[in-house]
Amino acid sequence: MSEIANFSASQLLPLYRDRQLSPVEATKAALERIDTYNSSVNAFAIVDEKTALVEAQASEVRWLNGNPLGLVDGIPFTAKDLLLTKGLPTRRGSKAIITNQPWEEDAPAVARLREQGAVLLGKTTTSEFGWKGVTDSPLTGITRNPWNTELTPGGSSGGAAVAAALGMGTLHLGTDGGGSSRTPAALTGVFGFKPTFGRVAGYPSAHTGTLFHIGVLVRTVTDAAVALNVIAHPDVRDWYALPEEQQDYTLDLNRGVAGLRIAYSPNLGYADVDSEVAALVRGAVDVFAKLGAVVEQIDPGFANPRSIFQTFWQVGAAKLLGGFSPEQQAVIEEGLQASAREGDRLTLSQYIKAQDAREALGRHLQHFHQNYDLLITPTLPVVAFPVGQNRPQSYIDNPQQDWSPFSYVFNLTQQPAASVPCGFTKNGLPVGIQIVAAKYRDLLVLQAAKAYENVSPFVMPVASL
């Protein structure tokens, strides 16, 4: 069972087809991992073992009859507890959510996976409404890093990242409104992918609007491609969804990076990066050069857009809390309440100026990608830090300093971006590089990540919790 839990989707599917393994066995292996390790790491808000086994048994029958439902029939998956799931409450990490209501709808990505036979294990933890870059909430408490349980896995998709790292399921849906999938991917050593905005349909609309991407956290790049083949489709409920694209993300995944023009920016021109992190990222960039890419160290040439991002984030928080009664607002975390108050104070003129600045940033990067196929940066300037903190200690002492300066830029510009594991510090903590491409070039990001993975395989934590 322990070995089965580590299998990727691309390993499980041929085993199902050849009747060497059953979806029931794979689901039981994932549930066994959850039962063994979740008490130590708190990655799940809800586990639905009974329904998962029923769905796995139905999948087993389909495979035995030679009639699988789709591309991921029998693959165990999880959904972050910000995404709607039919039959299970979506509590969003908050005591403000009324759970005594019908839960009759799947979010588009959940629906696409279920339509093709994937087995939902449960809902993974999130910070409250995904508002911060660590994963703890008033509802579910603290989620912990599998490499060191005294440290955070990051957030807000921390539960999905931890589940991926420990084999508690195969495919894990996460969200990313400012780094929420890439941050925990980097801090836990898994692959986190944020597709182009609209590539994966979303519903209902997030309070952060067009910053909000839906993606995956997995143990291999190929599994991200498998998942994207299923979930990267429009949905009539999403007005922003991109049109249907006839793309198989698993084809040509191994094209390599030879001849690609890669810009390497150690700090985007304004970030402070830990020396160990910087060295590991530099080593990873050298790998791309050895694989035949033309690498140039260059900053993309824009000022820190944090103030632009904060405007949208704070207005979104105000919109979110405005939909709750005073009694509900009272049980919401003070940090989120404070952000909403800042949003209420912003004027329409300030918001329009932020929109203009966002457009200018996006235009700037579109021009930048006329000369460079890819941009590589650190995913984060730091490694995992103690739980119970919203930021590393040195950044607590200097609240104006930004501990996640590399991620939200590409939510503003809506570009595809991935965090790729690139090694460990001397204390054994994972570090990630971020690979970014121009809008709509999602496959190129996956191809580059796969090229790196082929020569530097990702390492998962030893199950010794």
Side-chain angles (χ1 to χ4, degrees):
M1 281 296 184
S2 180
E3 183 182 359
I4 294 170
N6 290 330
F7 288 171
S8 66
S10 56
Q11 289 173 312
L12 288 173
L13 291 166
L15 293 174
Y16 294 168
R17 183 174 55 249
D18 296 340
R19 301 185 182 184
Q20 296 180 40
L21 189 70
S22 160
V24 174
E25 292 173 295
T27 300
K28 285 182 175 179
L31 291 168
E32 184 179 281
R33 282 284 179 92
I34 295 169
D35 185 59
T36 301
Y37 299 117
N38 194 53
S39 60
S40 298
V41 294
N42 188 32
F44 281 81
I46 304 172
V47 178
D48 189 5
E49 179 175 349
K50 181 178 179 181
T51 303
L53 289 172
V54 169
E55 292 178 355
Q57 288 162 358
S59 174
E60 178 181 72
V61 171
R62 291 192 294 270
W63 280 104
L64 288 173
N65 290 334
N67 189 30
L69 198 55
L71 299 176
V72 288
D73 201 342
I75 300 298
F77 83 100
T78 70
K80 183 180 179 180
D81 199 27
L82 295 185
L83 299 171
L84 290 178
T85 46
K86 185 177 182 180
L88 293 176
T90 300
R91 298 176 295 178
R92 305 168 78 185
S94 181
K95 294 180 179 179
I97 296 297
I98 299 170
T99 57
N100 186 23
Q101 57 176 294
W103 301 97
E104 298 179 341
E105 201 167 14
D106 281 327
V110 177
R112 301 295 86 79
L113 285 166
R114 282 179 148 173
E115 287 164 2
Q116 298 208 30
V119 175
L120 179 64
L121 300 171
K123 311 291 291 288
T124 52
T125 51
T126 176
S127 58
E128 189 171 29
F129 300 106
W131 81 274
K132 58 185 177 180
V134 297
T135 303
D136 60 58
S137 77
L139 183 69
T140 56
I142 292 172
T143 297
R144 298 173 181 273
N145 196 309
W147 295 96
N148 181 338
T149 56
E150 295 304 310
L151 305 180
T152 181
S156 61
S157 302
V162 174
L166 289 174
M168 298 191 290
T170 308
L171 306 177
H172 306 274
L173 293 176
T175 67
D176 193 316
S180 283
S181 63
R182 289 160 290 157
T183 294
L187 296 186
T188 60
V190 300
F191 181 69
F193 183 54
K194 175 187 79 70
T196 298
F197 176 77
R199 180 70 69 209
V200 179
Y203 173 85
S205 296
H207 63 277
T208 52
T210 58
L211 297 174
F212 188 81
H213 300 230
I214 297 164
V216 292
L217 294 104
V218 287
R219 297 191 294 278
T220 71
V221 177
T222 301
D223 272 6
V226 169
L228 208 59
N229 278 348
V230 178
I231 65 176
H233 300 283
D235 187 291
V236 294
R237 296 170 293 174
D238 182 0
W239 190 63
Y240 292 109
L242 294 175
E244 187 68 63
E245 181 186 49
Q246 300 302 318
Q247 175 72 68
D248 182 346
Y249 291 94
T250 63
L251 288 179
D252 207 26
L253 195 57
N254 284 300
R255 81 169 288 279
V257 294
L260 291 183
R261 301 160 299 168
I262 296 180
Y264 159 53
S265 178
N267 62 4
L268 290 182
Y270 51 76
D272 294 320
V273 181
D274 174 86
S275 59
E276 270 197 281
V277 171
L280 286 164
V281 172
R282 174 73 256 187
V285 170
D286 290 342
V287 170
F288 286 94
K290 291 174 183 176
L291 291 172
V294 179
V295 178
E296 179 182 352
Q297 182 171 327
I298 184 173
D299 294 326
F302 52 82
N304 189 340
R306 183 184 182 192
S307 62
I308 306 170
F309 178 79
Q310 286 293 96
T311 297
F312 291 105
W313 195 258
Q314 290 166 350
V315 168
K319 173 189 173 184
L320 172 69
L321 266 65
F324 291 112
S325 69
E327 293 75 19
Q328 289 172 302
Q329 291 184 27
V331 299
I332 290 173
E333 277 191 280
E334 170 55 31
L336 181 52
Q337 292 189 47
S339 185
R341 289 193 293 270
E342 291 296 323
D344 280 327
R345 283 193 279 267
L346 288 166
T347 66
L348 178 59
S349 176
Q350 289 172 307
Y351 186 78
I352 296 298
K353 286 179 180 177
Q355 284 186 318
D356 290 343
R358 181 184 186 183
E359 180 182 341
L361 176 64
R363 187 183 303 113
H364 178 90
L365 276 159
Q366 286 188 160
H367 282 294
F368 181 80
H369 281 289
Q370 296 299 301
N371 296 316
Y372 299 98
D373 299 296
L374 297 167
L375 170 63
I376 293 181
T377 74
T379 305
L380 290 169
V382 296
V383 293
F385 50 89
V387 294
Q389 301 175 190
N390 287 350
R391 49 180 41 222
Q393 186 61 47
S394 61
Y395 292 78
I396 293 174
D397 299 336
N398 183 5
Q400 297 307 310
Q401 195 175 13
D402 189 357
W403 74 271
S404 57
F406 297 106
S407 54
Y408 53 77
V409 178
F410 305 108
N411 294 84
L412 288 168
T413 62
Q414 303 185 338
Q415 294 171 242
S419 180
V420 181
C422 70
F424 297 84
T425 66
K426 62 179 182 293
N427 291 327
L429 296 178
V431 171
I433 58 167
Q434 179 175 229
I435 301 176
V436 184
K439 283 176 77 172
Y440 316 122
R441 300 201 73 185
D442 303 80
L443 178 58
L444 185 60
V445 173
L446 294 174
Q447 289 170 333
K450 179 61 173 169
Y452 183 82
E453 181 190 23
N454 284 344
V455 298
S456 185
F458 309 155
V459 178
M460 295 301 113
V462 176
S464 58
L465 301 176

